[in-house]
Every structure is written in C-alpha cells, then in structure tokens.
Amino acid sequence: MNLRIPGPTPCPPEVLAATAREMVDHRGPEFGSALKRVSSGLKEAFRTANDVLILTASGTGGLETAVVNTLSPGDEVLAVSIGNFGDRFASIAKTYGADVTKLAFPAGQAADLAAIDEALGKNSRVKAVLVTHNETSTGVTNPLQQIAEIVRRHDALILVDAVSSMSSIPCDVDAWDLDVVVSGSQKGWMVPPGLAFVSFSPRAWQANESARMPRFYLDARKAKESLEKNQTPWTPAVSLVFGMEVALDMLEAEGWANVYARHQRCADLARQGAQRLGLKLLADPAFASNTVTAVWSPEGVNVSELRKILREQYDTVVGGGQGDLTGKIFRIGHLGLVHEADVQAAIDALAQALPKAGYAPVAAARG
Amino acid sequence: MNLRIPGPTPCPPEVLAATAREMVDHRGPEFGSALKRVSSGLKEAFRTANDVLILTASGTGGLETAVVNTLSPGDEVLAVSIGNFGDRFASIAKTYGADVTKLAFPAGQAADLAAIDEALGKNSRVKAVLVTHNETSTGVTNPLQQIAEIVRRHDALILVDAVSSMSSIPCDVDAWDLDVVVSGSQKGWMVPPGLAFVSFSPRAWQANESARMPRFYLDARKAKESLEKNQTPWTPAVSLVFGMEVALDMLEAEGWANVYARHQRCADLARQGAQRLGLKLLADPAFASNTVTAVWSPEGVNVSELRKILREQYDTVVGGGQGDLTGKIFRIGHLGLVHEADVQAAIDALAQALPKAGYAPVAAARG
C-alpha cells in the first residue's frame, strides 16, 4: 500500500521489527537505556537543551500537556489558527478555562505577522500564544521563527504545535526561543502512533510553578522528574520507544539536513505533479508545507469516490478534507519514510484515477 | 528472560508480530475493522453491554478518564484504598477538585465491607466510590461484587480500577452493576502497554451529562461518538490495536473460564512455592491476588540485591515494592502469557538466588 496520508506514515521494517521486541521491565536497565537514547535523540532533533518529555499519548494529548502545565483558568491566551488543528489547540485552552481570543486566517493562508503583532499590542495581558507550525489540515507551514520573534517582544509564552513538522521541516527550538513544542511519533519520526514529545523551556517551567489548570496523567513535572531517572511516571508504550530508538538511528545516519532536503524534494514533486494534472493547490505557494499537500478536488469529482478508486484500484491511500474542507480537498502526505518514487507513484495513480472519477487531467503525470 | 513483574507481561509471538504490521490509515476500513473486533471482544471480556472505550494511554490515563468524565469539582467522593494504586485513584480525584474522603486499609488487607457501609451511611452526599479491584502494589483482590452491592444500596456511582484484574480474574461488569471500569493492555491482555480500556454504564453516561471536570484528550463522550463510527477521536496507537485483535483471538480460543483457571493455578503455585522456601506472603490468604504475589523480603536480605542476582544470574525479573513497601517486599507477577512452568522457574531461581542474598531457604523449592 502506498500510504500517502499525513500520518500515520509508513515505517521502515527495522523500526517495525524493533516495536515487536519482547517486553521488558519498564523500570529496568534495558528500557532505561532506550529511553535515555530516545531522549537525547529528541533533544538533537528539536535542536534544544530543554527537557523533551516522552508521553504515552497522541499529538492531541501533547497539545493538552502544553496548555495545562503552563496556564491557569482565566489566563488570557491568543490562539493563532490557520485550520483545524489550530482550532483544536484553542478548544483545549478554552476547555480548561483560559480566556481565549482566536485569531483565525483563511484556509490555505499562513498567519499574518502584522495581525499577530497588532493583537498582542492591543492586549498586554496575553499570557501565551498558541500557534501551529505546520497545519496538517491545509498543508500550510507558518513562518514560526518570525511569529516567535513577535511573541517574544510582547513577553508572552509561545506554545507550538509542531506535531507534523518537527523532524521533517527545520524547527529550531532554542534558536527561535520556543517555550513548549509538541510532536508525535506517527509523523516524520517513522514510528507508529502513540507517543507525544513535548519540550519545555526554562520560561515554561517557571510558568509551570504557578499554573493551576488541573493535570495528572499529563503532568509535565512528574514526567520530568521520572525522565531524570530514565523512567516515566506511568507505564509507557514500551514498544514504541524501542521503535523510536531505531528510527532515530536511521534519521541521524541520514543526517537531519538530508532528511529535511528529502522532504523538500518530495513536496516539490507532489506540488508540481498535481499542478501538471491541472489540479489547484490549497496552500499559498509561499507557505506550502513540505509534509502534506492539500489539493482542491476538481469540479464534478466526488472526493470520497476518488479516494475509493485510488484505494481499491491503485492501492494508494490519500487523506480527505477535515471540517469545512470535507469533500472539497484531498491531501497527499509526504513525510516520514518517503522518497520521490513514492510521491511519483501517487501522482501516477491520481492521473489514472481522476478520469474514472469524472475528470480528465490536462497533461501526462510525468509532464 | 522470565519477566515476572505485574505488567508489562510477556506477549505471545503472534501478538508481537501483529503489532509490527505495516501502518494503515487510522480512518480507513482495515483499522475500522480491527477496532470493531477489539471493541466487541472487550465487551465480552468485561461481560457487559456497556460501551468499552479504547484510549491511547496508560492505565493511569484510564483512571483519570473515569474520574473527569463523571464528576464535578466539589463532588464528594469516597476513595477506598488498599495500597498505592488506590492512593493514586484518590489523588486524581483530588487533583481535579473532588472533595475526597479516603478510607484506607493496611497493606495486605482487603477493604472491610462494614467500614465502607458505615462511611456511606454517615454521608449521603457521596457521589462516587473509587475502588481498586486488584491492588497491584500488595497483591490483594478486593471483594468487588460485595463492595458494589453496598455502593448500589447507597445510590452512589462505583468507579473501578480493574487494570490488573480484568481478563485474568472474573469481573462481571453488568452482573455486578459496575459504573466505570478501567483496564490496560499490558496486563492480562498480553499486549504491550499503551492502551486503556474503560467501560461506562448508562448511569455513568447520565452522570457525564452534568460532570464539569475539564477534559479534552480523555473526553469519554468524544471517544464514544467516534467508536460508533469505528474510529477514535485522536490518532490511536494503531499497532497495539492490531496486537489486541490477535490476543483476543487467542484468549477467546482458550476460553475465558480456562484463562481464569490458569491464573488461579499459577497463583497457587507462586504462593505455595514461596511459602515452601520459608517466605512469608503479604496478602491476607482470603484475598490473595491471582495476578501478583507480594512476598516479604526475609530478615537480612536486601531486596535490590536479590532482584539484581535474579536478573543477572537467573534471567528472572521480579518487581520491587512501591511506596512504603519499597525495600520490604518483592512481587512475582503471574498474569497474561503465563503458565505453571514459568512460575515454577521463578521459584526455582529464587531458591538459588536467596542463599546468595544471605538467606537459606527452609526447604527445596519443589517441596
């Protein structure tokens, strides 16, 4: 199967084999050594000296961890949203009693820097800014470094959803001075879903001391204290940590710069391939994501039908649209274990499936 | 390795192979079918017509799910504790603002029925009773059916930690009228850690409608709505669900009555074996657990040293004590993938390791 959704991504056989290792004592030396290795690999990948916590949870659990460990009910929060996952981050903060102002931008657009600056300038009480680095629902990558500079100038915390960017798209936690940054194992890390990774800056830990939102399972301080002993506070997803150990070996052997370049090439190929078929892309080209490409469904094509043809006749799985974009777009994932040939195969399949779904591509897929 | 801790337990090779399957779309038909099969298998194992939610979390996340989805800050809660995990359940409720009265019993004892009845009789405002079915830290199984009868008479909700009992020790959710019941994949289910299973009775769902504790990642209603479409609200631990599919096939083929009987035999062997070595057991024999046996460390024996000898010289891993019992007991796990020979091998290893740790067993291990 050519699994071209924006996560879970295909995993290397070596990683899958590692996830099938026999169980060990999660408080014993074998697991301690695996956790230590993953922890140090994560620090390198996040480009940070901060603690990177390893939690047994989906990315959404990681986002909740960011919010509940740094904020108190009533705190003012600016939630920058460019899509479904930005909305979700805002909902989490609201659920836990934050006073959330949402700054939303149209689907396909990145966040506007001046608008963020203005919103923060108008309200000096904003304690934290929530921002999505890479919006998986629209295939847009926000200019995170510039956003962080603005947030820093206004002296607020910046909590970042980097679930679908970290490990595939450069994200320099320390250089960009990001306070809390969240990722998840099923994205560029090439590991099955079930682990969330969350980095906390010293500023975030300071905020933690007075943060009164309730938390227990997702208590970052407990996770930090356990991690110092190469443990986790609760029984962790042992097999996924074993998978991460091998995946990090592979990614580091390739070299992070090469990993990013490979994602760039795959993304270019996806965008060019779709456009050569006469399809229109959702994302503003200046901010198009290197991990997922959202494509407008052509007039007269039923997205569910197109996805079904791709799956059943071409063994190719692409994502659908989410929220308001359901039925209007489909999404091609190109992150994790992905090479140009995988993307080209998906484009080739699309070229053949589209006529069956009622649309005639304007040109041959290979141009 | 003879992994004799009370979870994670060893997993059958067939289960581990299933966890290493290639990734699929978590919103697609292959995963939907796996989730449906696991969901129906869980209902059978829980002996319930209730919804059994499948969450990507440790057992502790399952306990939090039970609390935050049924209660509001300020609600009065009676927390029956016979050990570390009972204390944890109480802490979760307290963290989220419940008014918790703890009814604690000495280590090794089960909860006293008259004391629970009396506590509830004195306070008709108690909204929920938290109770541990099988206390993993002491190896004691509470008389859950009788406790449930008392709680029902006083018209409170009963929230049950069955993490280390369900699937190994009979626990009849519907017959005993239990409101919320929690288990975890790494126990008797023979699957690596990372999934929590939580059943909600109609009464629990009714409580959910007015429950105001905040929750997002662990929102049971969202999980229920998604499960009705054979999905999960957030990206689930796909590989562990695949593992559960195979593990349930194996457990059902063995037959639940046979699974329970096997655990009973293994537990008898562990208890008799330890006693034949002259060792004393922590648990009241009337309530000794069929999944874990806690053994007092003999005078003069350092538990860490004993565990190290067992691990390094006999490839046998037993658990240590938790909390106040650290350094005083060790624990032999006998749940999940376990047969008499595994338990006998652990007893044999103990018979040889104990003299090296400074204690002379009183008799040969095989009696």
Side-chain angles (χ1 to χ4, degrees), chain B residues 124-144:
Chain B
S124 64
R125 292 179 312 278
V126 169
K127 176 95 186 278
V129 175
L130 312 183
V131 61
T132 318
H133 186 198
N134 187 73
E135 176 56 58
T136 314
S137 70
T138 61
V140 171
T141 305
N142 266 321
L144 182 58

Side-chain angles (χ1 to χ4, degrees), chain A:
Chain A
M1 182 194 291
N2 192 2
L3 185 65
R4 299 266 60 86
I5 59 172
T9 68
C11 304
E14 299 90 329
V15 169
L16 292 175
T19 64
R21 273 179 62 184
E22 281 185 27
M23 276 302 102
V24 296
D25 181 3
H26 61 298
R27 308 258 178 234
E30 301 91 348
F31 185 72
S33 134
L35 201 70
K36 190 174 175 180
R37 190 272 174 265
V38 172
S39 170
S40 87
L42 286 170
K43 282 187 176 209
E44 189 182 320
F46 276 56
R47 299 179 70 89
T48 186
N50 292 340
D51 307 291
V52 184
L53 308 177
I54 300 165
L55 309 170
T56 297
S58 315
T60 299
L63 298 182
E64 181 165 318
T65 302
V67 169
V68 300
N69 284 283
T70 56
L71 297 170
S72 300
D75 276 352
E76 295 200 28
V77 165
L78 182 71
V80 177
S81 177
I82 61 168
N84 213 43
F85 288 91
D87 289 351
R88 185 179 294 180
F89 212 172
S91 294
I92 293 171
K94 210 171 156 189
T95 297
Y96 278 86
D99 182 354
V100 177
T101 302
K102 199 149 102 180
L103 190 60
F105 299 92
Q109 301 298 307
D112 180 69
L113 299 174
I116 297 173
D117 197 19
E118 190 191 334
L120 290 170
K122 278 199 297 202
N123 184 356
S124 64
R125 292 179 312 278
V126 169
K127 175 95 186 276
V129 176
L130 312 183
V131 61
T132 318
H133 185 199
N134 186 74
E135 175 56 57
T136 314
S137 70
T138 61
V140 171
T141 305
N142 266 322
L144 182 58
Q145 182 174 13
Q146 289 95 311
I147 294 172
E149 279 166 19
I150 294 166
V151 174
R152 189 57 58 236
R153 216 158 57 227
H154 290 280
D155 204 26
L157 291 169
I158 179 163
L159 313 185
V160 180
D161 171 352
V163 172
S164 65
S165 57
M166 186 66 80
S167 77
S168 308
I169 299 173
C171 183
D172 283 13
V173 170
D174 285 0
W176 301 354
D177 206 2
L178 308 173
D179 292 309
V180 183
V181 183
V182 180
S183 191
S185 55
Q186 81 279 19
K187 303 292 184 179
W189 308 98
M190 316 191 297
V191 169
L195 293 179
F197 313 122
V198 191
S199 74
F200 278 73
S201 71
R203 203 182 292 110
W205 286 122
Q206 204 185 333
N208 176 259
E209 290 184 14
S210 58
R212 287 177 295 99
M213 285 184 183
R215 64 258 174 192
F216 193 93
Y217 181 60
L218 298 175
D219 187 321
R221 190 161 290 273
K222 288 198 182 86
K224 175 181 159 69
E225 285 165 5
S226 289
L227 191 60
E228 283 160 8
K229 299 177 287 182
N230 295 317
Q231 292 191 10
T232 55
W234 332 120
T235 312
V238 170
S239 44
L240 301 179
V241 173
F242 285 155
M244 275 297 289
E245 213 180 355
V246 172
L248 284 167
D249 283 349
M250 295 176 75
L251 291 164
E252 289 172 9
E254 182 177 357
W256 286 109
N258 296 326
V259 172
Y260 301 147
R262 174 165 55 79
H263 282 83
Q264 173 82 60
R265 291 195 306 275
C266 287
D268 286 341
L269 195 58
R271 294 187 280 255
Q272 290 158 9
Q275 287 177 306
R276 264 206 292 271
L277 296 177
L279 301 173
K280 291 195 166 48
L281 307 181
L282 170 61
D284 176 345
F287 299 99
S289 165
N290 280 352
T291 59
V292 54
T293 295
V295 182
W296 287 109
S297 178
E299 187 85 29
V301 168
N302 177 312
V303 175
S304 300
E305 181 62 18
L306 174 64
R307 292 180 66 211
K308 193 164 177 251
I309 295 169
L310 281 168
R311 166 189 285 278
E312 293 178 357
Q313 298 178 35
Y314 301 97
D315 207 24
T316 298
V317 180
V318 300
Q322 296 184 318
D324 291 345
L325 293 168
T326 305
K328 297 184 181 165
I329 62 165
F330 59 89
R331 295 173 300 149
I332 304 170
H334 33 77
L335 76 172
L337 180 62
V338 64
H339 293 91
E340 286 94 325
D342 306 308
V343 177
Q344 187 57 54
I347 297 292
D348 291 348
L350 204 50
Q352 295 183 62
L354 277 165
K356 298 188 182 178
Y359 169 83
V362 294
R366 285 178 192 274

Side-chain angles (χ1 to χ4, degrees), chain B residues 9-83:
Chain B
T9 69
C11 304
E14 299 89 330
V15 168
L16 292 174
T19 65
R21 274 179 61 184
E22 281 185 27
M23 276 301 104
V24 297
D25 181 2
H26 61 299
R27 308 255 178 239
E30 300 91 349
F31 185 72
S33 131
L35 202 68
K36 191 174 173 181
R37 190 271 174 269
V38 172
S39 171
S40 86
L42 286 170
K43 282 187 175 208
E44 189 182 320
F46 277 56
R47 300 179 70 90
T48 187
N50 292 340
D51 308 289
V52 185
L53 308 177
I54 300 166
L55 309 169
T56 296
S58 316
T60 299
L63 297 182
E64 182 165 317
T65 302
V67 168
V68 300
N69 285 282
T70 55
L71 297 170
S72 300
D75 276 353
E76 295 200 31
V77 166
L78 181 70
V80 177
S81 176
I82 61 168

Side-chain angles (χ1 to χ4, degrees), chain B residues 117-179:
Chain B
D117 198 20
E118 190 191 334
L120 290 171
K122 278 199 297 200
N123 185 355
S124 64
R125 292 179 312 278
V126 169
K127 176 95 186 278
V129 175
L130 312 183
V131 61
T132 318
H133 186 198
N134 187 73
E135 176 56 58
T136 314
S137 70
T138 61
V140 171
T141 305
N142 266 321
L144 182 58
Q145 183 175 11
Q146 289 94 313
I147 294 172
E149 280 167 16
I150 294 167
V151 174
R152 190 57 58 234
R153 217 159 53 228
H154 290 279
D155 204 26
L157 290 170
I158 179 163
L159 314 185
V160 180
D161 170 352
V163 172
S164 64
S165 57
M166 186 66 79
S167 76
S168 308
I169 298 173
C171 184
D172 282 13
V173 171
D174 285 359
W176 301 355
D177 206 1
L178 308 173
D179 292 308

